[in-house]
Amino acid sequence: MPTWFKRQLRRAYYQKDRYQIRLLNQCWFFYNKKHSSSEE
């Protein structure tokens, strides 16, 4: 997980920003799916 992403996620959780957390989660799952499918 990239450092900038961890920082964004930590800030969103700290501020209890539900919208931001949901957005980051969706981005992360999309990123993971994209990268895991290209490795196969």
Side-chain angles (χ1 to χ4, degrees):
M1 189 182 281
T3 309
W4 62 268
F5 191 85
K6 281 193 252 186
R7 203 177 305 128
Q8 291 270 342
L9 203 55
R10 200 176 298 130
R11 188 182 301 142
Y13 272 103
Y14 180 74
Q15 295 173 347
K16 293 182 172 63
D17 188 348
R18 285 202 178 124
Y19 175 76
Q20 188 76 9
I21 292 166
R22 199 175 302 130
L23 190 70
L24 288 165
N25 275 337
Q26 285 176 348
C27 288
W28 180 244
F29 283 117
F30 178 75
Y31 175 86
N32 261 354
K33 193 162 62 172
K34 194 174 181 182
H35 282 269
S36 64
S37 64
S38 64
E39 289 174 5
E40 290 174 358

